[in-house]
Amino acid sequence: MDGRDLVRSMKSVGSVGAAQGLRTVRAAWRRRRADAIGLPPRGPERARVPGTLREVEPGLGGGLLRFDRSELRIFVAVNGAVFWGWDGAAAEPSYALAGRGPDPDPRAALEPDKDGGWRVVAERVTVVVSRHGAMEVLTPGGVTLRRDLPPRWWEPVGGGAARWMQRSEVAADARFFGLGGRASGPRLRDGTYRLWNTGPGRAGGRGDDPSSVTMPVQMVVADAGTHLVFHDSSWDGTVTLREGAEGAGSGHDRAGTSELRMDGGPLRCWAMVGTPARVLLAWASLTGAPALPPAWALGHHHVPDAVAGEDGVRRAVAEHREHGLPLDVVHLGVGHFDARQVFTVDQERFPKLPVLAEELRLEGIGMVSVVGPAVGAVPGTSVYDEGTGRDAFVRDASGEVVEGVGWPGEVVFPDFTHAGVRAWWGGLYEERLAQGFAGFWHSLDEPTSFTAFGEATLPRSARHALEGRGGDHREAHNVYGLCMAEAAYEGLRERAPLERPFVFSR
């Protein structure tokens, strides 16, 4: 625990009460101690670059290029996107792809290029690979949209995950968009952006970063054309962007640059070229289009004070009607839960919740429940006992269940990267449906501590199933909320097949 952690923890003591604050301090100490024990020290590192191209093996839609110290797999997919992966990385398994990845396009082929390089030519894009591993993405007319320099890896001499860096250049007039949710707006200005989902803990400003949703995807718009690149890795990392500048008069253009640094994971990428509409269509075909929400979800939403109970909700609805304000949905926050559990209703504040839900439904108002991943570590409560019996909760490197701090106090976290845990968790929403809820709001699912001072509750060394591959929280953190949303969505589709699920995530 460093000084910054201690200051934040002390602030939390004063802001949420001594008992909860002290829990937060203890959880921070436990997290630091678990990582000190569970994460292998990096020690000396060995730098590596691909080297010189030695052998080429053409294949369907592309092929395999073997360099001195790495190999590159590249192919064009039937949706027009280009995939490439270093060190043998394949497109699957991936949490990003919608179902199976797209098949290679049999019309695309790997063919020799000048100076010992090779290229893949397709209908919408050409990718040129130099004999030292640099890559260029070109329009069908041969205009360069992006140039990746040969990647670099830093590998621990004693073994372990290699961190890597990819530097890229774009046109002088190109502008960057993407990287998930950013307080600065859709256009990304010069600066460094972190790829680690984090609850901000306060009202966000234009310069605040990171955010609850980060994605290693950039859409780059220039006069010559638009392209999108997606580096499919869920590890922690940073993207440093610098816009280019067009030369005035006889001055030279300065290319824009992007530098991606990742702490681990595969170096694999998808690229799409075309108009903005075509690029986004290809992106949606790759990762899945947004789910169509129920019609009521497009109306006016309000979050009343759930601590005020049923009467408080009725009062908020009456005030909307009194002032002529439209209202289609009310959201109940954590105040409607039993203080110790995540799915059990507080019977004092909401003794007849199904009756309230029916009243609202007759007025054309839906009801949404907040749900967080943190489960109160209280033996004798149903969700905790069920999860313990199923070995559903995240454990640390020593095999102990990891405890953090959430609104119920001491909490544990389901491992949503396990298919069986997702199926169990999805079944828990049946109780919410029986209470009359029509939709679900996932909060604190980065996951973030109750005090929300921007630190991950789970230690980086915490172990996750990762669909049977096994790994730790460094890889699972950025997909934790995604897997929780999948658990809810599939559970609702099974239990309410005639309704469109409404699940949204912070």
Side-chain angles (χ1 to χ4, degrees):
M1 186 177 190
D2 58 21
R4 183 177 300 175
D5 286 333
L6 184 60
V7 170
R8 287 171 171 169
S9 299
M10 289 300 103
K11 286 181 179 179
S12 71
V13 170
S15 62
V16 301
Q20 190 76 331
L22 289 174
R23 290 192 190 103
T24 304
V25 174
R26 288 198 298 268
W29 277 107
R30 287 198 302 263
R31 186 172 63 246
R32 299 285 294 189
R33 185 171 65 248
D35 285 344
I37 298 172
L39 288 178
R42 294 200 68 90
E45 294 181 317
R46 181 184 298 110
R48 173 169 63 89
V49 294
T52 304
L53 181 62
R54 295 299 184 192
E55 184 182 0
V56 174
E57 182 181 317
L60 190 62
L64 190 66
L65 293 84
R66 294 186 176 89
F67 294 79
D68 288 333
R69 291 174 290 277
S70 186
E71 63 180 28
L72 173 68
R73 185 188 311 275
I74 184 170
F75 68 86
V76 178
V78 291
N79 67 346
V82 183
F83 171 83
W84 63 82
W86 288 94
D87 282 354
E92 298 177 77
S94 168
Y95 281 106
L97 302 184
R100 245 186 107 256
D103 294 326
D105 185 348
R107 299 171 298 173
L110 186 65
E111 57 188 45
D113 195 58
K114 60 185 178 181
D115 299 327
W118 288 73
R119 63 182 179 180
V120 181
V121 180
E123 179 184 1
R124 301 175 188 171
V125 62
T126 298
V127 179
V128 177
V129 183
S130 79
R131 64 190 183 96
H132 294 296
M135 301 181 65
E136 287 187 83
V137 178
L138 299 90
T139 68
V143 178
T144 299
L145 296 177
R146 187 182 194 91
R147 181 173 185 270
D148 284 1
L149 303 180
R152 299 188 68 182
W153 294 266
W154 288 268
E155 301 168 331
V157 172
R163 57 190 180 95
W164 52 267
M165 175 186 70
Q166 179 70 72
R167 287 191 177 126
S168 307
E169 296 178 350
V170 298
D173 67 331
R175 298 296 177 255
F176 297 99
F177 301 84
L179 297 184
R182 301 291 167 176
S184 58
R187 179 175 167 184
L188 302 173
R189 304 291 179 170
D190 292 2
T192 298
Y193 300 84
R194 192 178 177 194
L195 299 171
W196 187 256
N197 298 346
T198 303
R202 56 186 172 83
R206 289 186 61 85
D208 289 347
D209 186 71
S211 64
S212 299
V213 182
T214 67
M215 299 167 62
V217 56
Q218 302 173 25
M219 188 167 80
V220 185
V221 181
D223 285 347
T226 297
H227 72 277
L228 181 147
V229 292
F230 166 52
H231 287 86
D232 190 358
S233 174
S234 62
W235 285 65
D236 191 6
T238 60
V239 179
T240 301
L241 302 176
R242 184 188 181 194
E243 291 184 347
E246 296 180 275
S250 60
H252 295 288
D253 287 351
R254 189 188 75 231
T257 60
S258 170
E259 181 180 286
L260 173 62
R261 291 178 177 265
M262 300 294 277
D263 287 348
L267 202 176
R268 58 184 180 182
C269 181
W270 291 89
M272 288 139 258
V273 171
T275 64
R278 183 184 290 275
V279 160
L280 292 176
L281 182 63
W283 164 252
S285 72
L286 184 70
T287 60
L292 188 65
W296 57 261
L298 304 178
H300 296 79
H301 296 235
H302 177 65
V303 185
D305 182 9
V307 175
E310 292 180 3
D311 290 341
V313 175
R314 291 188 177 96
R315 187 163 53 249
V317 173
E319 289 174 352
H320 275 76
R321 297 291 186 252
E322 178 184 344
H323 294 285
L325 299 174
L327 182 62
D328 300 277
V329 190
V330 294
H331 295 243
L332 299 189
V334 296
H336 80 284
F337 285 128
D338 182 296
R340 302 179 304 167
Q341 301 194 66
V342 70
F343 281 101
T344 303
V345 173
D346 187 321
Q347 291 300 315
E348 292 186 8
R349 295 192 180 107
F350 293 88
K352 297 180 180 179
L353 188 55
V355 174
L356 174 63
E358 180 63 14
E359 290 177 13
L360 296 177
R361 188 189 68 80
L362 293 175
E363 291 193 52
I365 299 173
M367 199 165 66
V368 170
S369 171
V370 67
V371 177
V375 175
V378 183
T381 54
S382 59
V383 178
Y384 177 76
D385 287 350
E386 284 183 29
T388 300
R390 294 171 177 270
D391 193 21
F393 301 124
V394 175
R395 295 180 178 271
D396 62 22
S398 65
E400 297 295 321
V401 173
V402 176
E403 289 194 357
V405 179
W407 60 265
E410 296 286 343
V411 296
V412 292
F413 291 85
D415 183 5
F416 294 120
T417 69
H418 190 292
V421 175
R422 289 197 298 271
W424 164 68
W425 187 266
L428 298 177
Y429 288 75
E430 186 169 357
E431 185 270 349
R432 304 275 81 202
L433 293 172
Q435 294 285 352
F437 286 103
F440 300 92
W441 154 30
H442 288 178
S443 188
L444 299 174
D445 55 339
E446 289 86 0
T448 297
S449 72
F450 171 80
T451 53
F453 51 68
E455 295 293 332
T457 300
L458 293 172
R460 290 171 174 254
S461 58
R463 305 301 300 173
H464 289 268
L466 289 166
E467 316 310 323
R469 293 182 290 111
D472 59 39
H473 196 63
R474 294 175 297 174
E475 181 178 0
H477 177 88
N478 282 340
V479 296
Y480 189 88
L482 171 69
C483 293
M484 179 183 176
E486 180 186 344
Y489 187 84
E490 295 301 330
L492 293 171
R493 285 210 310 176
E494 181 179 341
R495 285 155 186 83
L498 300 181
E499 301 291 334
R500 297 175 189 159
F502 179 67
V503 179
F504 73 103
S505 165
R506 187 173 87 168

